[in-house]
Amino acid sequence: MKTAYKLTILSLMLLAFAVVGFSQNVTVEKPQTTTQNLVRGTIGPLSNNASWSNYSVFNEIPGSALFPITSSSTVFYYGFTAGTEADISNIVLYTTAHFSSTITAATPVTLGGVSNPSINLANTSVCPVPPTATTPCIVRFDPLSLTLSPSSDYYFVVYFASDSNNQAIGGAQSAIGISESSMGAFYTGGDNTHLTVGQSIPNAGRQQPIFLMYVMNN
């Protein structure tokens, strides 16, 4: 009788452990990160802004345009509309106080782990179809461990090397008026990706974002 009683208790304990173990497996699943826009992206239809050899392209993300989303990472997406290879010499994100042109931080940005990538736009694993204004090739830069703040403005800057490949590349740009966009852009001749804290963002006419299509959390 005692033996049967002990076996019954042991069976119940094993069942209890099995239930606990199964419950733990269910509850420890990692939540999936929802990809969100941190600012309103480029809106279409798109046009092709071409020929970027020896230019630094500045895309401005005003702090006042940020959505009320807290994210520990920031990811930039470029849209190419022409060309077979883009040769980038350097990439940087400048931070300023809101409405100020004085640089408070210069954060290196990479693509594929390097700051001077060559992007093979003719490779179908990069661009499934040849890039055009109607079928832009979207390239995702490496995520930054950075939380964007409404009290700051940001300038995502890419310098395209002086070569024949970059003469043929094109950047996605909205064909709709500048007033419809929350982001802005301008460009300068030469390499302006090595400015330091305390220096100023160049002053140039603002237009629709060039190349930059999305700023996201993932």
Side-chain angles (χ1 to χ4, degrees):
M1 184 71 177
K2 287 182 180 180
T3 301
Y5 178 77
K6 287 180 179 179
L7 288 174
T8 301
I9 295 298
L10 179 60
S11 298
L12 289 173
M13 289 175 67
L14 290 174
L15 179 60
F17 284 134
V19 171
V20 170
F22 180 77
S23 298
Q24 288 176 338
N25 287 338
V26 170
T27 57
V28 296
E29 283 187 276
K30 293 182 179 179
Q32 297 297 312
T33 301
T34 301
T35 301
Q36 295 174 295
N37 287 295
L38 301 181
V39 65
R40 186 173 67 171
T42 297
I43 54 178
L46 299 176
S47 62
N48 174 42
N49 195 330
S51 188
W52 292 102
S53 175
N54 195 35
Y55 281 101
S56 294
V57 180
F58 285 71
N59 278 281
E60 178 189 9
I61 304 97
S64 58
L66 295 172
F67 293 140
I69 297 169
T70 301
S71 172
S72 60
S73 64
T74 301
V75 186
F76 299 95
Y77 289 81
Y78 247 30
F80 290 89
T81 53
T84 56
E85 182 175 313
D87 298 323
I88 294 173
S89 289
N90 197 40
I91 319 162
V92 67
L93 180 70
Y94 294 127
T95 304
T96 70
H98 192 38
F99 292 133
S100 172
S101 62
T102 302
I103 296 170
T104 58
T107 307
V109 183
T110 58
L111 174 59
V114 298
S115 61
N116 59 340
S118 287
I119 307 171
N120 186 354
L121 304 174
N123 188 332
T124 54
S125 66
V126 178
C127 304
V129 296
T132 67
T134 53
T135 58
C137 176
I138 309 299
V139 173
R140 178 183 183 268
F141 289 83
D142 297 339
L144 285 181
S145 297
L146 178 69
T147 300
L148 301 185
S149 168
S151 63
S152 298
D153 293 335
Y154 303 90
Y155 296 84
F156 182 65
V157 191
V158 173
Y159 172 59
F160 291 99
S162 180
D163 65 19
S164 57
N165 286 331
N166 289 334
Q167 289 283 15
I169 64 170
Q173 187 170 32
S174 176
I176 299 175
I178 184 66
S179 62
E180 300 297 327
S181 178
S182 58
M183 300 186 293
F186 60 89
Y187 53 88
T188 62
D191 186 356
N192 270 306
T193 60
H194 296 282
L195 302 178
T196 58
V197 172
Q199 291 186 290
S200 296
I201 299 294
N203 186 18
R206 189 175 183 269
Q207 54 183 284
Q208 287 280 28
I210 308 168
F211 286 102
L212 186 63
M213 295 191 69
Y214 312 105
V215 182
M216 309 186 83
N217 67 337
N218 200 352

